[in-house]
């Protein structure tokens, strides 16, 4: 990259750059790359490095701002913004990505610099519903698409939400026309295309170039896929630089260079910083005029009256004995655990030449086990899960509210039982999980009250009493206390064949008492999704066709839009709904802390 930089920036070009820098009075110079050839468009020019320097790349330069110029008859002008920059996120298949993006923009949202419009995901991101949204207010300044892109017959396409289990792809040219027709004279100035192959050039143009020609003044797209945590780091730094209240204009090229600098610093020079590239329609990267802007934090209490006080239905549940059913959402969100997905994808790509990046983890693991082997899958799991210190902050507060009884975890690390042992040393705790051996006997461990030692049990204890002791059912197996490894439920076959009701999990003597305990107490379900087939299957294996106890409640991420599914009982055992509470982890933690401190009666 240094040799190519030296070859390009010499002679007349070097002289022109020197004169432009003088004319800019020391400010950065916009470097527009008018690339026509497909191979040239696919090359990471932003990664060219100044000879003799280690980190002086074009993409993080303070004096040169590289953009990919697009010729278009559409006019260009900066948009005056007097308040918050409105952002509309679209995630047809990546529901879990929305809370992560919203969370990483927390500082900008809290300050009022960015307004988070109601996102489009699931059925709301189907073609008809998406195009209908284009005709409604409020109109966004920025459209952020998280999904999958590709080429169909050489033309760029993006994947929207599936229609009746059929994949739904929309030509980017058609999407650009729809956006232009709806918002062509409106405030939309920027599209962020966080999709595989978003900047891959086709015979006519890449998706990013087509959208820049017709739909928006600028498009940020990725030349190659990057890890989710890298994309989030880039988004946080980029939006912070673009929309900060202290400046008078929003310069998209300057902001992307600043974001690349941040990613390079955090990831110690990773080439992933140069995957995001900028396509620009005009000759000026200033998209937003903030001179008349007045920014104020959003009125949070008015938006959510329940923010300071938890709903009484939650208070009533927490004040009585209840069963906690803890999902595995946090594992999916934890950056170190996402390394498992990336390792499996990398091995499968080497083995098969291609693998979809949209596969659920259970499907991806199934492909890996079939093509490479179950033992290798176990090894990869231990490499990732065996070397992480993982404890969701919310879990400690939940454990304080628990007592004797039966509790269930889908986490593959023993964090629930560890939290219970820490906060309830007076309880004798039992841990039960399915066996991975041919004999089919459950694995059982016990920690006696007042001790810290876990012991393996080889027969059913006669003294186990669910009214007096704590019992943790580990449905997905994994690591037991004392860091003992047991093959986890990961693949589709694991879920299909691993657990067939409580009778397959428990010793015969414990089926009735534990089933009775689950039938008598309401459930608090946290970290689950009705749209995850593994979660639905495990609920049916636990409860069969029995309805969940009256007073049960599911706590849901606000971004996943599943409330009506839980309340109407779609996909639940017995087809009877439960209360659903939309709450962020931070909000739920505040409520639990207030209840523990006695501030809420």
């Amino acid at each position: 990259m240094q040799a190519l930089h030296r070859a390009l920036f010499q002679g007349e070009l070097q002289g022109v750059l020197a004169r432009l820098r003088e004319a800019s009075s020391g400010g950065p110079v916009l470097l527009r790359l008018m690339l026509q050839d497909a191979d040239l468009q696919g090359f990471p020019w932003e990664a060219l490095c100044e000879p003799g320097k280690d980190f002086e790349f074009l993409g993080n330069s303070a004096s040169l701002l590289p953009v990919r110029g697009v010729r278009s008859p559409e006019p260009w002008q900066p948009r005056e913004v007097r308040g918050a920059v409105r952002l509309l996120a679209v995630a047809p298949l990546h529901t879990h990505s929305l809370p992560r993006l919203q969370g990483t923009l927390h500082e900008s949202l809290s300050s009022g610099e960015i307004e988070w419009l109601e996102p489009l995901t699931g059925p709301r991101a189907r073609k008809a519903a998406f195009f209908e949204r284009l005709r409604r207010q409020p109109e966004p300044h920025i459209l952020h698409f998280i999904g999958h892109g590709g080429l169909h017959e050489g033309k760029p396409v993006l994947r929207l939400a599936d229609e009746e289990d059929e994949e739904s792809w929309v030509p980017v040219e058609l999407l650009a026309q729809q956006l232009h027709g709806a918002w062509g004279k409106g405030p939309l100035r920027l599209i962020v295309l966080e999709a595989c192959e978003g900047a891959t050039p086709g015979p006519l143009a890449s998706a990013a170039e087509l959208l820049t020609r017709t739909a928006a003044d600028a498009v940020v797209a990725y030349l190659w896929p990057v890890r989710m945590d890298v994309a989030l780091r880039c988004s946080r730094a980029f939006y912070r630089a673009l929309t900060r209240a202290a400046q008078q204009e929003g310069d998209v090229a300057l902001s992307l260079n600043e974001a690349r600098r941040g990613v390079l610093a955090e990831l110690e020079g990773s080439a992933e910083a140069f995957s995001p590239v900028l396509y620009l329609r005009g000759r000026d990267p200033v998209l937003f005029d903030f001179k008349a802007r007045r920014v104020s934090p959003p009125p949070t209490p008015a938006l959510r009256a329940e923010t300071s006080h938890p709903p009484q239905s939650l208070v009533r549940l927490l004040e009585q004995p209840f069963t906690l059913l803890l999902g595995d959402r946090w594992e999916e969100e934890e950056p170190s655990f996402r390394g498992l997905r990336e390792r499996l994808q990398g091995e499968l790509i080497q083995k098969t030449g291609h693998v979809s990046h949209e596969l659920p983890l259970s499907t991806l693991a199934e492909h890996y086990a079939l093509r490479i082997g179950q033992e290798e899958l176990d090894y990869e799991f231990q490499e990732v899960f065996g070397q992480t210190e993982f404890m969701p902050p919310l879990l400690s507060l939940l454990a304080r509210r628990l007592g004797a009884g039966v509790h269930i975890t889908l986490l593959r690390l023993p964090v629930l039982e560890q939290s219970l042992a820490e906060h309830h040393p007076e309880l004798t705790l039992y841990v039960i999980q399915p066996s991975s051996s041919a004999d089919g006997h459950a694995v059982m461990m016990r920690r006696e009250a007042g001790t810290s030692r876990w012991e393996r049990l080889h027969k059913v204890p006669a003294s186990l009493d669910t009214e007096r002791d704590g019992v943790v059912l580990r449905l997905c197996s994994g690591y037991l206390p004392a860091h003992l490894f047991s093959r986890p439920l990961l693949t589709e076959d694991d879920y299909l064949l691993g657990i067939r009701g409580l009778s397959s999990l428990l010793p015969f003597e414990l089926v009735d008492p534990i089933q009775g305990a689950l039938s008598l107490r309401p459930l608090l379900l946290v970290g689950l999704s009705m749209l995850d087939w593994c979660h639905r299957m495990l609920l049916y294996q636990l409860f069969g066709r029995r309805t969940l106890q009256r007073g049960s409640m599911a706590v849901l991420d606000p971004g996943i839009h599943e409330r009506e599914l839980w309340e109407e009982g779609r996909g639940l055992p017995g087809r009877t709904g439960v209360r659903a509470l939309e709450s962020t982890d931070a909000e739920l933690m505040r409520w639990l802390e207030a209840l523990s401190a006695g501030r809420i009666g």
Side-chain angles (χ1 to χ4, degrees):
M1 288 300 188
Q2 291 186 350
L4 185 54
H5 187 288
R6 184 184 298 108
L8 286 177
F9 295 98
Q10 63 176 333
E12 293 184 7
L13 180 57
Q14 189 67 28
V16 170
L17 278 177
R19 291 192 294 274
L20 288 174
R21 283 169 171 158
E22 290 176 3
S24 68
S25 302
V29 174
L30 187 71
L31 179 64
R32 291 208 309 161
L33 306 172
M34 306 303 294
L35 307 170
Q36 303 301 317
D37 183 83
D39 290 335
L40 295 180
Q41 287 193 34
F43 186 80
W45 299 99
E46 294 77 5
L48 295 188
C49 187
E50 186 173 334
K53 304 290 182 64
D54 291 329
F55 293 101
E56 289 291 333
F57 302 98
L58 288 183
N60 69 328
S61 172
S63 59
L64 281 177
L65 304 178
V67 302
R68 293 159 183 250
V70 174
R71 293 185 174 89
S72 171
E74 295 297 326
W76 171 92
Q77 61 178 359
R79 176 73 183 188
E80 184 181 44
V81 178
R82 294 179 174 269
V85 175
R86 296 190 295 273
L87 185 147
L88 175 62
V90 181
L93 304 172
H94 297 69
T95 302
H96 58 280
S97 300
L98 292 174
R100 298 173 190 169
L101 177 62
Q102 188 176 14
T104 202
L105 300 181
H106 173 73
E107 184 179 352
S108 298
L109 295 172
S110 298
S111 67
E113 295 166 340
I114 295 178
E115 178 184 354
W116 181 265
L117 301 182
E118 185 175 6
L120 303 181
T121 188
R124 294 162 52 81
R126 289 175 179 161
K127 191 179 300 182
F130 182 34
F131 288 167
E132 171 62 27
R133 172 61 180 86
L134 303 185
R135 293 190 282 270
R136 292 190 284 107
Q137 300 286 335
E139 297 179 354
H141 299 101
I142 301 172
L143 181 69
H144 190 120
F145 181 91
I146 304 173
H148 189 64
L151 299 175
H152 177 67
E153 297 180 352
K155 298 179 180 179
V157 291
L158 292 176
R159 186 176 176 183
L160 298 182
D162 296 346
E163 305 274 358
E164 298 180 355
D165 297 326
E166 293 289 331
E167 292 186 3
S168 176
W169 295 83
V170 60
V172 173
E173 186 176 4
L174 173 61
L175 177 60
Q177 292 170 358
Q178 291 283 345
L179 289 169
H180 179 265
W183 294 334
K185 297 182 180 179
L188 182 66
R189 288 295 180 271
L190 171 65
I191 295 174
V192 176
L193 204 57
E194 194 178 318
C196 304
E197 304 181 23
T200 301
L204 298 177
S206 66
E209 185 172 358
L210 284 173
L211 290 168
T212 311
R213 283 182 192 168
T214 307
D217 294 333
V219 173
V220 173
Y222 286 78
L223 282 179
W224 59 83
V226 299
R227 292 172 292 164
M228 184 173 292
D229 60 315
V230 176
L232 289 174
R233 291 170 194 253
C234 185
S235 293
R236 180 178 65 248
F238 172 67
Y239 284 127
R240 188 76 185 93
L242 181 66
T243 65
R244 63 169 63 103
Q247 60 197 17
Q248 292 195 335
E249 59 187 29
D251 187 319
V252 65
L254 195 65
S255 299
L256 187 55
N257 268 32
E258 184 172 327
R260 292 195 192 101
R261 282 197 294 274
V263 173
L264 278 169
E266 290 184 43
L267 300 182
E268 300 179 351
S270 170
E272 290 172 297
F274 301 108
S275 178
V277 297
L278 174 63
Y279 282 77
L280 188 69
R281 179 190 297 172
R283 297 175 179 271
D284 189 338
V286 175
L287 301 184
F288 303 116
D289 179 358
F290 294 144
K291 294 183 181 67
R293 191 184 193 196
R294 296 291 184 272
V295 170
S296 59
T300 305
L303 289 177
R304 291 186 61 126
E306 64 196 38
T307 297
S308 57
H309 297 287
Q312 282 302 307
S313 55
L314 177 63
V315 175
R316 287 193 296 270
L317 173 62
L318 295 176
E319 288 179 342
Q320 62 181 310
F322 67 93
T323 292
L324 176 66
L325 203 168
L326 193 66
D328 58 0
R329 169 174 60 84
W330 296 281
E331 288 182 352
E332 287 289 322
E333 296 179 357
E334 182 69 11
S336 61
F337 291 169
R338 288 200 294 274
L340 176 63
R341 172 183 287 277
E342 292 160 8
R343 291 168 72 109
L344 300 186
Q345 286 172 339
E347 292 289 335
L348 282 171
I349 288 173
Q350 290 186 10
K351 183 78 173 179
T352 66
H354 175 75
V355 63
S356 172
H357 288 263
E358 314 305 323
L359 294 176
L361 180 59
S362 59
T363 305
L364 183 67
E366 185 66 49
H367 288 194
Y368 190 95
L370 292 173
R371 293 181 180 274
I372 298 177
Q374 182 66 54
E375 289 187 2
E376 287 298 314
L377 179 61
D378 290 343
Y379 170 77
E380 295 292 350
F381 175 87
Q382 292 176 75
E383 278 290 296
V384 174
F385 278 63
Q387 302 181 36
T388 184
E389 295 182 2
F390 169 66
M391 177 62 73
L394 175 61
L395 192 52
S396 179
L397 288 168
L398 283 171
R400 294 177 191 174
R401 310 294 305 185
L402 300 178
V406 179
H407 305 288
I408 305 160
T409 177
L410 307 187
L411 295 173
R412 296 168 181 87
L413 288 173
V415 291
L416 176 58
E417 46 270 54
Q418 288 172 351
S419 290
L420 281 170
E422 177 185 352
H423 294 291
H424 299 282
E426 77 285 357
L427 282 180
T428 293
L429 296 177
Y430 293 89
V431 172
I432 308 174
Q433 75 173 25
S435 172
S436 59
S437 62
D439 60 20
H441 294 158
V443 179
M444 299 186 63
M445 298 193 74
R446 176 175 58 195
R447 191 222 60 171
E448 289 285 357
T451 70
S452 59
R453 180 176 175 272
W454 290 90
E455 60 176 329
R456 175 79 180 269
L457 300 179
H458 297 285
K459 62 180 182 178
V460 178
S463 59
L464 193 156
D465 182 350
T466 59
E467 293 295 321
R468 183 191 62 213
D469 304 323
V471 179
V472 176
L473 302 183
R474 297 183 43 79
L475 295 191
C476 293
S477 300
Y479 279 97
L480 287 154
H483 211 66
L484 298 176
F485 172 73
S486 180
R487 177 172 290 172
L489 268 65
L490 276 182
T491 71
E492 291 173 331
D493 283 357
D494 290 337
Y495 286 97
L496 289 170
L497 305 174
I499 299 178
R500 299 191 177 185
L502 284 176
S503 59
S504 71
L505 166 64
L506 300 171
F508 173 77
E509 300 91 329
L510 295 181
V511 172
D512 286 342
I514 288 182
Q515 200 167 63
L518 292 177
S519 300
L520 292 174
R521 293 185 176 185
L523 274 80
L524 179 63
L525 304 104
V526 184
L528 287 92
S529 170
M530 189 62 69
L531 301 178
D532 189 322
W533 78 274
C534 300
H535 291 174
R536 294 196 309 275
M537 167 168 275
L538 291 173
L539 284 172
Y540 275 101
Q541 301 294 6
L542 281 171
F543 297 98
R545 297 184 179 275
R546 302 189 310 278
T547 60
L548 303 188
Q549 179 68 14
R550 185 177 179 181
S552 296
M553 173 179 288
V555 179
L556 312 174
D557 281 329
I560 66 175
H561 303 289
E562 294 183 17
R563 186 169 190 160
E564 72 282 359
L565 302 180
W566 290 88
E567 292 182 340
E568 294 175 13
R570 303 180 211 171
L572 280 177
R575 298 291 178 177
T576 301
V578 299
R579 288 183 177 272
L581 172 64
E582 292 184 339
S583 166
T584 63
D585 286 355
E587 189 170 39
L588 184 56
M589 288 173 65
R590 286 196 297 271
W591 291 339
L592 292 170
E593 287 171 346
L595 286 167
S596 297
R599 297 196 299 270
I600 298 174

